[in-house]
Amino acid sequence: MTDLAARLDRLRGAAQPRNHDARTIAALTSNPGCARRGVLDAAGIDKDAIAAELGFAAPFGQSQFAITRGNVFEAQVKADGCAELLSLLRDRLGLSIPEVAYDDLGVVGGNESRKVRHARTRQLFARALGEGPGTLFDHPLLRLDIAGQPAYLEPDVIAFQFEGRFHIIEIKSFAMIDGQADPAQVASAARQSAVYVLALRRLLTELGHDEDTVSHEVVLVCPENFSNRPTATFLDVRPQLAVLRRQLARLTGIDRIVAELPADLTFEPGAGLAGAVRSVEARYSPDCVSGCEMALFCRDEARACGSTGALGRSIRDDLGGVDSIATALALADGSLEPAEELAETAAGLRLAARLRREALGAAS
């Protein structure tokens, strides 16, 4: 065990590490500058449990109705060896697929062990890359290293080989109406699909093949209009891939953040938990509420200390190195002289304050 792994184990305490999935890995990209989230995720700490212990449980999770609808739609698309999906790929996307080989990797010979399934996934992909049979791979078990720790991904996803390239097929139950779907849901699907693309690229690289053997174009399958009839479109996830790579690279350098923390720090439940969490700097903004289990705790903290992050990420970024609302107001009214590195920010604040006074004067 490396020194970093041992340190992360001490931070986590007696709890077992929480395995990442595509949703949690994709969420890492939403706020890459947050040291608090980086440390908690690198250590595999259950942020849901931490937030609940602190009295700030986050109201996350799909409704049971949405989960059931998603399961029914996925089963329909995959029925009879993915017959409907193949018809969709041929007719809707115009792909010529003369022959099909289908492998379900959800269970291997009655064994559901992640190591066995991952080994079988490697074996079948290696065979397919050697021009053996292999067109559709249902539930391939992929893996990504998160801060040096392996995270197994168990996606409800299909890897599809066509003309020597692999595509991730993501099946979602949100509707595509007149060729358009909800942008927020499409963005979420793109982030999760990028995780699968990167994991599959890492696997093929390990097998000695170019990562571009896995396409950056994901096939997104959704219900069409108000029916349960599936439709498909290509989704380019290159922007999400770039962000994901940067954030994962940052997590591999988490040792620099951990090295600055007290040696006896732990996030085990108890009287000192709130202080332990506050000892790691957060980078809160209002959009954290939709993607991080710790958001309500961090929001309360940001409001209490008057952080500019509570006003929104774009405002905080526009203010440069000004972290306090009180400091920003003092720079704006001229009661505080800025340091040299804040001179430009202060000038902008004073201009904004003057324009506001003029506008209010004109309105009166």
Side-chain angles (χ1 to χ4, degrees), residues 164-215:
R165 297 193 79 191
F166 290 94
H167 297 262
I168 292 295
I169 299 178
E170 184 74 345
I171 301 172
K172 294 293 186 183
S173 62
F174 57 80
M176 193 172 293
I177 301 173
D178 293 332
Q180 300 291 323
D182 177 64
Q185 292 179 309
V186 172
S188 177
R191 288 193 295 270
Q192 291 190 32
S193 298
V195 175
Y196 300 139
V197 170
L198 183 59
L200 187 52
R201 285 185 169 186
R202 295 276 171 88
L203 173 60
L204 297 198
T205 301
E206 291 172 7
L207 294 172
H209 292 264
D210 193 292
E211 70 168 23
D212 287 337
T213 307
V214 182
S215 175

Side-chain angles (χ1 to χ4, degrees), residues 196-277:
Y196 300 139
V197 170
L198 183 59
L200 187 52
R201 285 185 169 186
R202 295 276 171 88
L203 173 60
L204 297 198
T205 301
E206 291 172 7
L207 294 172
H209 292 264
D210 193 292
E211 70 168 23
D212 287 337
T213 307
V214 182
S215 175
H216 58 263
E217 287 192 313
V218 169
V219 179
L220 179 63
V221 178
C222 300
E224 186 175 24
N225 296 326
F226 299 100
S227 71
N228 233 27
R229 183 176 65 250
T231 186
T233 187
F234 283 116
L235 183 62
D236 190 338
V237 298
R238 278 178 293 184
Q240 291 79 14
L241 272 171
V243 174
L244 180 61
R245 287 181 190 275
R246 286 198 301 271
Q247 179 60 355
L248 291 182
R250 176 183 175 275
L251 279 182
T252 60
I254 201 73
D255 55 332
R256 294 191 296 273
I257 299 174
V258 171
E260 297 176 0
L261 301 178
D264 59 348
L265 185 69
T266 178
F267 294 106
E268 286 193 288
L273 179 59
V277 172

Side-chain angles (χ1 to χ4, degrees), residues 68-126:
T68 301
R69 172 178 165 79
N71 291 339
V72 169
F73 180 68
E74 182 182 326
Q76 171 194 330
V77 172
K78 292 183 179 181
D80 301 320
C82 295
E84 188 166 7
L85 175 62
L86 284 167
S87 176
L88 184 66
L89 294 173
R90 288 175 176 138
D91 299 340
R92 180 69 177 81
L93 299 182
L95 304 180
S96 56
I97 311 170
E99 296 181 5
V100 173
Y102 171 81
D103 293 284
D104 189 346
L105 292 158
V107 180
V108 179
N111 193 326
E112 299 183 16
S113 160
R114 291 185 301 180
K115 289 186 178 180
V116 170
R117 289 178 55 205
H118 181 63
R120 182 60 173 163
T121 298
R122 286 177 60 93
Q123 182 185 44
L124 290 184
F125 273 88

Side-chain angles (χ1 to χ4, degrees), residues 5-75:
R7 183 73 177 94
L8 293 175
D9 280 347
R10 288 196 298 273
L11 288 173
R12 190 174 55 252
Q16 290 297 309
R18 186 179 186 184
N19 188 55
H20 283 286
D21 57 24
R23 184 188 68 82
T24 62
I25 294 174
L28 297 176
T29 65
S30 63
N31 193 3
C34 182
R36 180 175 296 167
R37 172 153 200 166
V39 169
L40 293 175
D41 283 329
I45 291 170
D46 187 341
K47 298 194 298 297
D48 269 323
I50 293 289
E53 176 75 14
L54 294 170
F56 291 92
F60 283 142
Q62 283 184 300
S63 70
Q64 190 58 49
F65 173 79
I67 293 171
T68 301
R69 172 178 165 79
N71 291 339
V72 169
F73 180 68
E74 182 182 326

